[in-house]
Amino acid sequence: MMDYPNRKPIRLPEFDYHAGAYFVTICTQDRRCILSDILVGDGVLDVPRVQLSKYGEIVEQTLEEINDTYQHISIQKYVLMPNHIHLLVQIEDNGTSRTPSPTNKTLPMLVSTFKRFTNKKCGVKLWQRSYHEHVIRNEQDYLEIWNYIDTNPQKWAEDRYFPPAAQ
């Protein structure tokens, strides 16, 4: 019998996952740098710029399709880094007065559907098995995450997902 590593649960056990905002990070399989390149020195005031790969373009297109398809889910902000993406996701309550929406299933369903669609469109397995989520609890938290997503390309060399071989 094979021993499998214990995975840390990603859900807050005491949180009811009502409609709200969530910060989601999804890494590529084996943290391969296949989604984009961070170009330094060719942007306005030498601010790093994200140049999407063909896979990154498909991922971005799929994110836009999510916003066009789902009325109760909104990808409010995102950045495609070379080996991961950050999403700011807003989930609205879409239940009726008698049957509240199962929001605790909406975010995992969204991530699963997104991964499946992008893998199929790209013809390769892009993503690692799991993802990280953070429940945004207040406006300050929301604004800090918005800023983090905006400035993430500028901090790529210090990013925890920056591949050691590239240092």
Side-chain angles (χ1 to χ4, degrees):
M1 177 184 240
M2 183 180 230
D3 287 333
Y4 293 101
N6 288 334
R7 291 193 179 266
K8 182 174 79 170
I10 63 170
R11 313 291 285 177
L12 289 174
E14 69 281 357
F15 194 74
D16 67 359
Y17 286 86
H18 58 282
Y22 300 87
F23 177 53
V24 177
T25 300
I26 308 171
C27 292
T28 59
Q29 184 72 28
D30 300 323
R31 297 215 175 133
R32 295 173 294 164
C33 292
I34 58 173
L35 300 177
S36 68
D37 288 316
I38 306 299
L39 304 177
V40 181
D42 71 341
V44 175
L45 303 175
D46 290 336
V47 174
R49 181 174 63 88
V50 177
Q51 181 178 354
L52 299 180
S53 69
K54 66 179 182 175
Y55 295 139
E57 289 174 359
I58 292 169
V59 168
E60 184 174 62
Q61 175 189 18
T62 304
L63 291 172
E64 298 298 329
E65 289 170 0
I66 288 170
N67 280 340
D68 293 341
T69 303
Y70 297 100
Q71 294 177 358
H72 68 290
I73 299 172
S74 170
I75 308 295
Q76 298 194 331
K77 188 142 192 85
Y78 62 87
V79 64
L80 279 73
M81 299 300 288
N83 60 6
H84 65 282
I85 63 171
H86 294 300
L87 309 171
L88 181 56
V89 180
Q90 179 73 39
I91 300 174
E92 301 295 334
D93 183 13
N94 69 331
T96 66
S97 59
R98 296 182 65 201
T99 58
S101 169
T103 307
N104 62 338
K105 296 179 183 173
T106 302
L107 190 60
M109 179 275 309
L110 171 68
V111 172
S112 175
T113 300
F114 167 76
K115 286 180 174 183
R116 193 172 58 253
F117 283 1
T118 53
N119 286 343
K120 185 174 181 179
K121 289 176 182 180
C122 291
V124 297
K125 183 176 180 185
L126 293 176
W127 310 108
Q128 72 177 19
R129 179 173 177 245
S130 194
Y131 62 96
H132 174 76
E133 71 182 40
H134 167 79
V135 177
I136 299 174
R137 294 174 177 87
N138 56 46
E139 184 176 0
Q140 181 173 343
D141 195 18
Y142 182 94
L143 294 173
E144 287 173 3
I145 288 167
W146 185 281
N147 184 58
Y148 179 84
I149 290 172
D150 263 350
T151 60
N152 201 232
Q154 298 166 23
K155 300 172 185 169
W156 173 231
E158 294 88 42
D159 196 296
R160 67 186 252 188
Y161 298 114
F162 188 78
Q167 293 181 2

